[in-house]
Structure formats: structure tokens, C-alpha cells
Amino acid sequence: MSNKIDQTLAQFNSGDVSVRLCEGMFSVMPFAPKFAFYNSFEGAASRVGGDVAGARQLAGSEDVGKAIWVGEALDTSDKLIAGFAGVKNLFSIFGGSSGGAPRKRTFEADQEQAADAALKGVGIAYMIYKLFPGDVAQKVKLFRETPAGQEIALFYVTADIALPFADNLVESGSAAIKKLFDSQNAGIASKFSQFAGADAFSQASGVLGQLTGTFEEYATKAKEYSGPVMSKLQSLLPSGASLLNAADSATGVAASGIDLLPVYTFLSARLAAEACALRAARGL
């Protein structure tokens, strides 16, 4: 039975730049789950257990479809995000931005990018709300127990917070994450509700209240590995041009006329697949 997760996973191959970028990032973080590429439900079930047929049955639900839809939107500026996908953040840090003195890497210095980072966090929280059963505490617990959940959280705090907003983390430590969401709350509430529906932000914000601690924990760890992460990614993607012009087999997205890599699409599909497999394994 084909479903949105199957269709999305099948678009990726092990040699795709998005895949290599994730594999490279996680390989230098000793606290990251061991990366295992797959492009089918069989791979997700092998990673977390569960019956493939049962997982695919869960994948056909409206909630899972909505989660995947939002996950794809995290790569697509004209649908949801202001235009600073995590890959574009990395490109800027690699030296692809305009010349001159390096800008101060704070939320205050770049409000548009800060709003983008906050919206992505809300989007991840919304996916958790849709993909996992139980109350908010149970949803977040299951997310943390899922390897793909750890992956998307690590990529998010590294690419969208720890690297582009390093000065905030130096100045405020893990409290910088809460500061980010508090500073952007009014704007992202309206924008996310317009995009995903009237109840979407309230659903996401309930999860975000408990998820912020996870983001803070991961950001504290990730910032200590920013140097090795950048070195690893530079070895995989040696120039801004090669990064932004790379064509994955998965359908690309466009933001400000630049083709960006569908990293969040890839990680969101893995999260959805593993959530369904985990639920099938535990009878949830």
C-alpha cells in the first residue's frame, strides 16, 4: 500500500546531498543516534521494531499526512518559512554571503532569521502532536525515544540555532532557546495558524512548552561540536555554490530563486515512518 511516507522516502538515495549532509553532521556528534539510511518502511521498522504492514496502516491516517505536509513546508519559504532554511544558514556561515565584517550572530541582529527558526520549532512540535499518541508528556517522551526524533531535533538546533545564533548561546546558554520562542511568539502564532489551521498553533504550543527543554539540552551539546560539524560539512560541501546548486533526486524547493536541499522533508519522512513503526511495535 502506497502512502505519503512511502512516496517521500522513495525519492531519496544514499548518495543524495541531503542524506550525506545529515550523515556527516551526526557522525561527529557522539550523542547522536547511529545514522542508518533507508528509503522504505522496512528500514524504519528495522531501526525501531514493529510490523511493516501495521506501520503502513497507521501511515494512512489524516494526522500523519498533515504532519508530513508541515514537514515539507519547513523546506519551502513561500508556504511557511521566511526563507532561511537550515541549509541556507549553513551556506552563509561557509562564506557564501556578501563580503564585509562578519555580522553579529544573534536573534536581535537578524529578526527574519530568528522568526524562521522559531517557526521551524513550532512546525516540529506540531508534527509531534500529530504523530504520537497520548498526552503532551507522552508525545514528547515517544519523540525522544525515536532515533529520527533525535535526528530532526539535533539538525534543527545545530543548523537553525547553534550555528547561526552562536553569540546568543554564548551569552545566554540554553536559556537562549526559550528567549527565541518568547521573542517571536506573537508573530509565529498568527503565521502558523494561517498556514496550518485555527487550532494548529495551540496544538503545537502545548507540545512546545515541554519540547523546549529537549531543544535546550541538544543545543547545549551541539554548540560544543560546532567546529567539528563545520569541518565535516565543509569536506562534504566545499563551496557555497556546490551546496546551493546540488540537485537531489528528491523534488527540490525554491526560496528567493535559490534551490535548497530538502533536508527537512527527508528528516520529517523518517520521523513519520519511525513514529508509525514504533506505534505498531508497542500497540499504540
Side-chain angles (χ1 to χ4, degrees):
M1 178 177 63
S2 180
N3 54 64
K4 183 61 175 174
I5 297 176
D6 274 313
Q7 294 165 8
T8 304
L9 287 174
Q11 296 178 75
F12 291 92
N13 295 302
S14 59
D16 289 345
V17 178
S18 294
V19 176
R20 291 192 291 114
L21 187 150
C22 293
E23 183 176 19
M25 178 183 288
F26 303 144
S27 71
V28 298
M29 296 179 171
F31 46 85
K34 182 176 175 56
F35 182 82
F37 172 75
Y38 57 83
N39 55 7
S40 69
F41 255 116
E42 285 76 9
S46 175
R47 200 178 194 197
V48 302
D51 172 67
V52 173
R56 282 201 171 99
Q57 186 173 7
L58 290 169
S61 74
E62 182 179 349
D63 280 349
V64 172
K66 193 71 177 287
I68 290 288
W69 176 63
V70 167
E72 290 177 339
L74 300 185
D75 284 318
T76 313
S77 65
D78 60 348
K79 289 183 179 178
L80 174 62
I81 304 302
F84 289 90
V87 173
K88 191 173 181 182
N89 290 336
L90 296 176
F91 166 66
S92 177
I93 296 165
F94 282 150
S97 57
S98 58
R103 64 176 175 81
K104 190 170 177 62
R105 289 154 66 180
T106 64
F107 308 138
E108 298 80 6
D110 198 333
Q111 286 290 322
E112 186 178 22
Q113 189 166 327
D116 167 76
L119 271 169
K120 285 196 179 77
V122 173
I124 292 170
Y126 181 77
M127 284 190 283
I128 294 170
Y129 181 89
K130 290 295 187 182
L131 291 173
F132 295 100
D135 59 21
V136 169
Q138 178 72 357
K139 289 175 185 291
V140 174
K141 180 176 183 293
L142 290 170
F143 171 76
R144 287 177 60 99
E145 292 174 359
T146 306
Q150 298 167 40
E151 289 173 349
I152 197 170
L154 279 172
F155 182 84
Y156 167 66
V157 300
T158 303
D160 287 290
I161 297 178
L163 293 177
F165 298 116
D167 293 329
N168 283 111
L169 287 178
V170 170
E171 294 167 3
S172 304
S174 63
I177 306 293
K178 186 176 186 301
K179 178 181 178 181
L180 167 66
F181 290 118
D182 286 347
S183 68
Q184 300 295 327
N185 188 67
I188 61 178
S190 173
K191 189 165 188 178
F192 194 79
S193 296
Q194 290 173 9
F195 168 75
D199 296 330
F201 183 75
S202 63
Q203 293 168 347
S205 61
V207 174
L208 191 61
Q210 295 199 28
L211 186 62
T212 301
T214 296
F215 288 156
E216 290 173 346
E217 173 191 337
Y218 287 2
T220 299
K221 293 178 178 179
K223 73 176 183 179
E224 300 301 324
Y225 288 84
S226 59
V229 166
M230 292 304 297
S231 295
K232 184 67 174 180
L233 297 187
Q234 283 177 310
S235 72
L236 294 171
L237 306 163
S239 72
S242 67
L243 174 62
L244 290 176
N245 293 330
D248 275 358
S249 60
T251 302
V253 296
S256 304
I258 300 174
D259 290 335
L260 299 178
L261 301 174
V263 179
Y264 277 107
T265 299
F266 173 62
L267 293 175
S268 298
R270 288 166 67 85
L271 175 61
E274 291 184 23
C276 291
L278 187 70
R279 289 177 60 190
R282 300 185 183 183
L284 299 174

